[in-house]
Structure formats: C-alpha cells, structure tokens
Amino acid sequence: MKIADIFTSLQGEGVRQGTPCLFIRLSGCNLSCRWCDTQYARESGTEMGCDAILEQVWRENPRSVCITGGEPLLQTEALLPLLASLFRRGIAIDIETNGTIDFTPVQPYAAVCMDVKCPSSGEKSDLSLLSKIRPEDSVKFVVGDEEDCRYAQEVMESHPIAGEIFFSPVYGTDYQPIIRFILKNNLPVRFQLQLHKIIGVK
C-alpha cells in the first residue's frame, strides 16, 4: 500500500470524535475537492507492506484505528488483509471514504463514514451507495453555505440513511447560518465542528 502517514491523535470527526485513535492515511485520491485539507496525501507517500504497517500499529497498541486518505478504497484489495488482522485483534476500525467507490468489501471489518460531497466541494458522490449504509456506519455532509445545507436536506429526503448523519461546517465558515438551518428544518443530524482543526493536530 502507498501510505501518506501513520500517526496517533484525537479523532476529530464522526462517532468517535474526541477519543484517542491511530490514523493510517493512504495516498491517492480520485477527487479534487475545493476545500481539501490533505493535499499532501494526493500523491506523496511511501510503499509499505501489510506486515510493516501492522508492526507500527502493534507498537502503538491503539483501541481504535481510522483508515483515511486521500481515498483509501482506491487500494481496497491491498487493504483487506490489514483490516482482517486489525479486526482479529479486536481493534475498532473506522474507514473514511468520499462515497465514490463501493465500500461493501470492507464492511465486515469496519464502520464506514461516507462523506457526501456537497456543491461547494466541486465534486459529487455516488448517492446510490447510501443504501448500503448500516446503523453502525455514518454519513457526513461537509457544508459551506445554505446551498450545501439545502442539497444535504434533499439527499436525506430522497435517500433513506440507516446510520447517524453529521453536518460539519467547512473550516473557517460562519457556522451560525448552518445551525439556524438545522433548527429551522428540524433536521435529523448531529452538528459537529472539525475538532482536529480546533486543537491543531493532523
């Protein structure tokens, strides 16, 4: 696998926000979001075998591991043996994906967080994948303005989602209009600031 980074931090988003986590950031992405905050992971990285990655993981002895990118599912075939090893050790696994690649092969091992791309990102996710979201999975909308909020609302109304849904403002955005939109429309979402940006970690 081509790895951009392996590091320990607090989880900044999703259902485990604020908890210690070991991150395995894979290189490569098939999208080019306007507000991407991990440009370095698009191309740079080091080839590592599964055993070398696991050796580093075992040294840290994490309770949870987050597989992220880039878009980690571009390397699904190589990723599966790693996930199986982590799963056998009883480690909680989360995978963050941009919602353009079928994630069902990894679901036996991990909870999936599908990031549905909103208009301000300049990209689109495959909304048909929302039907594959389970209660233990989640969906995230990174919203920059009211147009994004309206788009997210339309997606939720037209695509039943089994997992928890997060609204996360683009970092630096005035989030008060987003909060007002959630309250006005009584949306079934959890508002969540990007904690990793606030506390200054990766």
Side-chain angles (χ1 to χ4, degrees):
M1 280 170 283
K2 193 173 183 181
I3 304 296
D5 206 359
I6 300 177
F7 61 97
T8 300
S9 185
L10 298 181
Q11 176 57 267
E13 301 173 296
V15 296
R16 298 186 213 278
Q17 186 186 61
T19 62
C21 181
L22 185 137
F23 292 81
I24 303 174
R25 188 181 300 284
L26 276 64
S27 296
C29 191
N30 56 343
L31 298 183
S32 184
C33 298
R34 292 193 184 103
W35 32 252
C36 176
D37 57 2
T38 52
Q39 289 288 342
Y40 74 96
R42 291 185 58 80
E43 296 180 3
S44 64
T46 303
E47 290 290 341
M48 294 181 69
C50 183
D51 289 344
I53 297 169
L54 287 172
E55 183 179 348
Q56 192 163 339
V57 173
W58 303 152
R59 283 201 302 268
E60 297 291 340
N61 194 29
R63 290 186 175 87
S64 68
V65 168
C66 179
I67 311 292
T68 186
E71 173 46 58
L73 298 186
L74 289 172
Q75 303 185 64
T76 295
E77 186 174 348
L79 187 58
L80 289 174
L82 174 66
L83 296 177
S85 294
L86 295 172
F87 183 80
R88 284 194 296 268
R89 285 285 287 261
I91 294 173
I93 310 167
D94 295 296
I95 296 182
E96 298 177 341
T97 177
N98 62 26
T100 60
I101 298 172
D102 182 17
F103 45 73
T104 54
V106 304
Q107 283 181 306
Y109 308 107
V112 169
C113 179
M114 176 175 164
D115 184 347
V116 176
K117 300 304 176 183
C118 293
S120 71
S121 74
E123 296 287 2
K124 290 184 178 181
S125 298
D126 179 358
L127 299 181
S128 70
L129 292 173
L130 290 170
S131 66
K132 303 178 187 297
I133 292 291
R134 308 161 300 174
E136 59 265 45
D137 300 321
S138 59
V139 170
K140 177 178 66 177
F141 295 92
V142 178
V143 291
D145 51 32
E146 191 168 327
E147 180 186 3
D148 283 351
C149 292
R150 285 195 300 270
Y151 173 78
Q153 183 181 25
E154 291 168 3
V155 169
M156 288 187 291
E157 290 173 349
S158 59
H159 296 77
I161 298 171
E164 187 166 11
I165 303 170
F166 295 93
F167 265 35
S168 180
V170 175
Y171 185 68
T173 298
D174 179 4
Y175 50 78
Q176 291 301 327
I178 295 168
I179 294 172
R180 289 194 293 268
F181 187 93
I182 292 171
L183 295 174
K184 178 182 177 181
N185 294 279
N186 194 26
L187 298 182
V189 304
R190 183 192 295 262
F191 176 84
Q192 191 172 72
L193 297 177
Q194 295 176 312
L195 180 63
H196 51 295
K197 301 288 187 64
I198 297 170
I199 63 177
V201 296
K202 294 181 181 181

